[in-house]
Amino acid sequence: MNYFTIFASRNDMDDIDGFIMKLFAKGHTIKKNGNDYTVQTNSLFNKRKMTIRVSHESTNPAYFETNIPGMIGFYDRIPFADENRKELVLTQISVLNALIAVEAEKALGDEQLRQCMALLSAVGGIGFMQDGTLLDDDGQVIVYPDGASGPANFRPRACTGKVMGPERPSEEGERRKRASIDYIHGRGIPYLDSLPLLPPLAECQWKSQEEIARRAVALLIVIQYACDAAQGGDLAESRDFVLSTLRKFGVEDELTGNERHLLEAEEPSPQEAVNIAWQYEAYWPLIWALRLTDTLDFPDRTCDCNYAIEVVSKCDSFGEFYRSTTLRSREEILDEADKIYRLHWACVNSRIHGQEAPAGMNESVVMERRRGLFWMVGCDREDWDHIPMDT
């Protein structure tokens, strides 16, 4: 294999140069010409040379206009074993706007492949191999050329530029950003000043109080099944309980595609179950927005699951639950969404550099809290399963 391609969805490419220079700093000579890099080993006996070409939709729009539709068509024709995974792959391809193409003079050796995987991880993209195999940013296979699923726990990532369009500066957004940065800086957490603004209040696609309440109830109920599936419980009994409880509260139609897939699978994937079980942390900002809990604590610990259950289980109907709620102001909710967005960048930045998340943050808690907040705000029309996690 002489070629390896990384695709990603990124607001900018400013950090790619640093990734390449750091990755090949030892034992290589690097020559840069614009956005192209020639990387050659310094070994006398095993000389290898690679060319790395970096491009972005903003600098090479013709490439993306031509090749992204072709890539969508290629994977749309593959008979995926898992239709849900196919939908995720096609969603990811539709928002790609960055390319790092690696071309080697000789077949890529083990060390060069390791370096490609390290670059893939740093960029946070997907890897495209010559035979059509797709890799997640951890090097795990998403899908093989015959449509068989690999072991990757894959979910799409989209930069804010692709989801929300070009950034539109606003005084409101700048004030919110500065308040978030003051909070983050006060805790000694690094931040990226150039991280884009979230849209102003008037441009968001807000969920109503009832929509939030219905999502909260449906999610909490299906989480109970996910926990049983992850822990090897009696799934027949658990499924019956969950389905009857969904009917009792009248929220059967509120389930997402991933939630339905979990409930309907004869043998639920343990990883899918764990993913949904973690959404206690996405449920928590929903009940916070409904004023059923007073504060959103710093994301360095998991939520109180017993209390999370109690706020719904003490009610006999959705109507009773709904009457116990009062929606917070949109300003409060968007302030928290902006803050968690910037905290997520700090977590990702630390992980890329092989460090623990700063200030003891739990990145999984941060990501799920972001899911709940971004869904309520509706920066675009994202559905629950596909909230972008770009940073």
Side-chain angles (χ1 to χ4, degrees):
M1 183 176 77
N2 294 68
Y3 301 93
F4 184 77
T5 308
I6 298 170
F7 290 96
S9 183
R10 299 177 64 87
N11 287 309
D12 58 59
M13 305 290 280
D14 293 346
D15 52 359
I16 302 299
D17 182 80
F19 292 151
I20 294 172
M21 293 299 181
K22 181 178 179 180
L23 183 59
F24 296 100
K26 185 177 180 180
H28 295 82
T29 298
I30 307 172
K31 294 181 180 179
K32 182 180 179 184
N33 180 19
N35 291 319
D36 292 354
Y37 300 78
T38 301
V39 180
Q40 184 165 320
T41 59
N42 293 333
S43 169
L44 292 174
F45 303 105
N46 187 27
K47 282 193 176 293
R48 288 180 174 273
K49 186 167 74 172
M50 293 190 301
T51 301
I52 303 175
R53 296 185 174 88
V54 179
S55 62
H56 188 270
E57 187 176 47
S58 60
T59 58
N60 190 5
Y63 174 88
F64 291 90
E65 289 173 6
T66 301
N67 286 279
I68 294 303
M71 195 173 177
I72 289 174
F74 174 80
Y75 283 98
D76 191 34
R77 290 190 293 273
I78 290 177
F80 277 63
D82 181 345
E83 284 297 316
N84 182 61
R85 178 152 295 204
K86 179 175 185 176
E87 178 186 349
L88 296 179
V89 167
L90 295 179
T91 297
Q92 179 66 83
I93 296 171
S94 71
V95 295
L96 296 175
N97 67 354
L99 168 72
I100 302 174
V102 179
E103 180 180 353
E105 281 190 334
K106 306 174 184 178
L108 291 164
D110 290 343
E111 177 62 14
Q112 289 178 304
L113 280 172
R114 185 195 66 75
Q115 291 161 339
C116 287
M117 295 304 169
L119 185 57
L120 171 62
S121 177
V123 171
I126 56 174
F128 180 81
M129 303 181 76
Q130 281 179 259
D131 65 357
T133 299
L134 274 189
L135 306 178
D136 203 355
D137 65 351
D138 59 1
Q140 296 291 309
V141 173
I142 300 169
V143 64
Y144 291 99
D146 63 358
S149 296
N153 176 26
F154 172 67
R155 54 182 165 187
R157 301 173 184 85
C159 68
T160 50
K162 292 298 288 187
V163 175
M164 298 182 289
E167 183 176 6
R168 297 179 295 278
S170 70
E171 291 185 11
E172 176 197 322
E174 283 291 347
R175 287 196 303 271
R176 182 169 289 111
K177 171 183 171 179
R178 296 266 63 94
S180 295
I181 288 176
D182 287 346
Y183 169 87
I184 292 167
H185 181 66
R187 288 180 171 267
I189 298 170
Y191 60 89
L192 181 66
D193 194 72
S194 61
L195 202 63
L197 304 178
L198 295 190
L201 288 163
E203 295 182 17
C204 296
Q205 307 292 327
W206 290 93
K207 301 299 187 296
S208 68
Q209 180 178 343
E210 182 172 351
E211 286 176 308
I212 295 169
R214 288 188 173 279
R215 175 87 287 259
V217 173
L219 177 59
L220 178 73
I221 295 169
V222 82
I223 283 172
Q224 309 315 304
Y225 180 76
C227 289
D228 286 342
Q231 297 167 9
D234 184 337
L235 295 189
E237 180 179 342
S238 180
R239 186 183 288 110
D240 288 344
F241 169 78
V242 164
L243 292 175
S244 66
T245 307
L246 288 168
R247 288 192 293 270
K248 172 185 172 181
F249 281 87
V251 292
E252 310 100 301
D253 293 339
E254 308 301 326
L255 296 181
T256 70
N258 286 353
E259 292 162 2
R260 290 187 186 281
H261 186 266
L262 182 74
L263 279 172
E264 293 170 0
E266 290 186 16
E267 295 185 13
S269 160
Q271 187 59 59
E272 289 180 10
V274 168
N275 291 347
I276 291 178
W278 260 106
Q279 289 182 25
Y280 263 124
E281 304 301 333
Y283 165 86
W284 195 257
L286 302 184
I287 63 172
W288 167 81
L290 295 170
R291 294 189 182 277
L292 296 174
T293 185
D294 292 334
T295 59
L296 280 179
D297 294 331
F298 188 71
D300 58 352
R301 67 196 71 185
T302 56
C303 67
D304 183 343
C305 295
N306 290 330
Y307 179 76
I309 294 171
E310 181 185 342
V311 297
V312 173
S313 64
K314 68 182 181 182
C315 301
D316 290 325
S317 67
F318 175 77
E320 183 181 351
F321 172 77
Y322 184 65
R323 288 190 294 273
S324 72
T325 68
T326 305
L327 190 62
R328 291 183 186 273
S329 71
R330 291 179 172 181
E331 288 83 356
E332 286 182 274
I333 298 171
L334 189 53
D335 286 349
E336 289 293 338
D338 189 272
K339 189 188 301 179
I340 206 71
Y341 176 42
R342 299 178 195 284
L343 288 173
H344 190 197
W345 177 87
C347 291
V348 173
N349 182 61
S350 294
R351 173 162 46 81
I352 287 171
H353 291 93
Q355 302 166 353
E356 295 293 324
M361 284 190 289
N362 183 321
E363 187 176 351
S364 294
V365 172
V366 171
M367 288 177 63
E368 292 303 334
R369 187 176 293 183
R370 179 177 174 180
R371 182 193 305 277
L373 288 164
F374 268 48
W375 178 82
M376 288 187 287
V377 167
C379 295
D380 193 26
R381 296 190 178 275
E382 310 99 331
D383 67 74
W384 183 269
D385 290 335
H386 302 134
I387 299 296
M389 290 293 167
D390 67 287
T391 54

